[in-house]
Short mmCIF file of all heavy atoms in Angstrom, two decimals:
data_model
loop_
_atom_site.label_atom_id
_atom_site.label_comp_id
_atom_site.label_asym_id
_atom_site.label_seq_id
_atom_site.Cartn_x
_atom_site.Cartn_y
_atom_site.Cartn_z
N ASN A 55 -21.29 130.05 71.40
CA ASN A 55 -20.73 130.73 72.57
C ASN A 55 -21.19 132.19 72.63
O ASN A 55 -20.36 133.11 72.62
CB ASN A 55 -19.20 130.68 72.51
CG ASN A 55 -18.68 129.26 72.48
OD1 ASN A 55 -18.59 128.60 73.50
ND2 ASN A 55 -18.38 128.78 71.28
N PRO A 56 -22.50 132.42 72.69
CA PRO A 56 -23.00 133.80 72.58
C PRO A 56 -22.50 134.74 73.68
O PRO A 56 -22.35 135.93 73.45
CB PRO A 56 -24.52 133.63 72.64
CG PRO A 56 -24.74 132.31 73.29
CD PRO A 56 -23.56 131.46 72.91
N GLY A 57 -22.19 134.21 74.85
CA GLY A 57 -21.73 135.06 75.94
C GLY A 57 -20.33 135.62 75.74
O GLY A 57 -19.93 136.55 76.42
N GLN A 58 -19.59 135.06 74.79
CA GLN A 58 -18.23 135.52 74.53
C GLN A 58 -18.16 136.69 73.56
O GLN A 58 -17.10 137.27 73.37
CB GLN A 58 -17.37 134.38 73.98
CG GLN A 58 -17.14 133.27 74.97
CD GLN A 58 -16.30 132.16 74.37
OE1 GLN A 58 -15.63 132.34 73.36
NE2 GLN A 58 -16.32 130.99 74.99
N TYR A 59 -19.29 137.00 72.92
CA TYR A 59 -19.28 138.01 71.87
C TYR A 59 -20.37 139.05 72.12
O TYR A 59 -21.52 138.69 72.34
CB TYR A 59 -19.50 137.35 70.50
CG TYR A 59 -18.43 136.35 70.19
CD1 TYR A 59 -18.59 135.01 70.53
CD2 TYR A 59 -17.24 136.75 69.60
CE1 TYR A 59 -17.59 134.08 70.28
CE2 TYR A 59 -16.23 135.83 69.34
CZ TYR A 59 -16.42 134.50 69.68
OH TYR A 59 -15.42 133.60 69.43
N LEU A 60 -19.99 140.30 72.06
CA LEU A 60 -20.92 141.39 72.28
C LEU A 60 -21.54 141.80 70.94
O LEU A 60 -20.82 142.11 69.99
CB LEU A 60 -20.19 142.59 72.89
CG LEU A 60 -21.01 143.86 73.10
CD1 LEU A 60 -22.13 143.61 74.09
CD2 LEU A 60 -20.11 144.98 73.58
N LEU A 61 -22.86 141.77 70.88
CA LEU A 61 -23.57 142.23 69.70
C LEU A 61 -23.82 143.71 69.87
O LEU A 61 -24.43 144.14 70.85
CB LEU A 61 -24.88 141.45 69.52
CG LEU A 61 -25.69 141.78 68.29
CD1 LEU A 61 -24.91 141.46 67.02
CD2 LEU A 61 -27.01 141.00 68.31
N GLU A 62 -23.33 144.51 68.92
CA GLU A 62 -23.44 145.97 68.99
C GLU A 62 -24.24 146.51 67.81
O GLU A 62 -24.32 145.87 66.77
CB GLU A 62 -22.05 146.61 68.93
CG GLU A 62 -21.08 146.14 69.97
CD GLU A 62 -19.72 146.80 69.78
OE1 GLU A 62 -19.66 148.03 69.58
OE2 GLU A 62 -18.72 146.07 69.83
N GLU A 63 -24.78 147.69 67.98
CA GLU A 63 -25.37 148.43 66.87
C GLU A 63 -24.31 149.44 66.43
O GLU A 63 -23.91 150.31 67.21
CB GLU A 63 -26.64 149.17 67.30
CG GLU A 63 -27.83 148.26 67.51
CD GLU A 63 -28.35 147.65 66.21
OE1 GLU A 63 -28.43 148.36 65.19
OE2 GLU A 63 -28.69 146.45 66.23
N ALA A 122 -23.69 144.17 64.67
CA ALA A 122 -22.37 143.64 64.34
C ALA A 122 -21.70 143.05 65.57
O ALA A 122 -21.91 143.53 66.69
CB ALA A 122 -21.49 144.73 63.74
N TYR A 123 -20.90 142.03 65.31
CA TYR A 123 -19.98 141.51 66.32
C TYR A 123 -18.63 142.12 66.02
O TYR A 123 -18.15 142.06 64.89
CB TYR A 123 -19.87 139.98 66.23
CG TYR A 123 -21.12 139.26 66.63
CD1 TYR A 123 -21.92 138.65 65.66
CD2 TYR A 123 -21.50 139.18 67.97
CE1 TYR A 123 -23.08 137.98 66.03
CE2 TYR A 123 -22.66 138.51 68.33
CZ TYR A 123 -23.44 137.91 67.36
OH TYR A 123 -24.58 137.25 67.71
N ARG A 124 -18.02 142.71 67.04
CA ARG A 124 -16.68 143.27 66.90
C ARG A 124 -15.72 142.28 67.56
O ARG A 124 -15.68 142.16 68.77
CB ARG A 124 -16.62 144.62 67.59
CG ARG A 124 -15.33 145.35 67.37
CD ARG A 124 -15.18 146.56 68.30
NE ARG A 124 -16.36 147.37 68.43
CZ ARG A 124 -16.57 148.54 67.82
NH1 ARG A 124 -15.65 149.02 67.02
NH2 ARG A 124 -17.66 149.22 68.02
N LEU A 125 -14.97 141.54 66.74
CA LEU A 125 -14.07 140.52 67.27
C LEU A 125 -12.67 141.10 67.45
O LEU A 125 -12.08 141.64 66.50
CB LEU A 125 -14.00 139.31 66.33
CG LEU A 125 -15.11 138.27 66.50
CD1 LEU A 125 -16.48 138.83 66.23
CD2 LEU A 125 -14.83 137.07 65.65
N HIS A 126 -12.18 140.96 68.66
CA HIS A 126 -10.82 141.39 68.94
C HIS A 126 -9.85 140.35 68.38
O HIS A 126 -10.24 139.25 68.03
CB HIS A 126 -10.64 141.61 70.44
CG HIS A 126 -11.65 142.57 71.00
ND1 HIS A 126 -11.71 143.89 70.60
CD2 HIS A 126 -12.67 142.39 71.86
CE1 HIS A 126 -12.71 144.48 71.21
NE2 HIS A 126 -13.31 143.60 71.98
N GLN A 129 -10.01 136.81 69.35
CA GLN A 129 -11.25 136.12 69.02
C GLN A 129 -11.30 135.66 67.57
O GLN A 129 -12.00 134.70 67.26
CB GLN A 129 -12.45 137.02 69.31
CG GLN A 129 -12.65 137.29 70.79
CD GLN A 129 -13.76 138.29 71.02
OE1 GLN A 129 -13.73 139.39 70.49
NE2 GLN A 129 -14.75 137.88 71.80
#
Side-chain angles (χ1 to χ4, degrees):
N55 301 280
Q58 294 180 18
Y59 300 92
L60 176 63
L61 183 61
E62 304 178 46
E63 287 291 318
Y123 292 107
R124 186 192 316 257
L125 276 62
H126 305 297
Q129 292 174 304

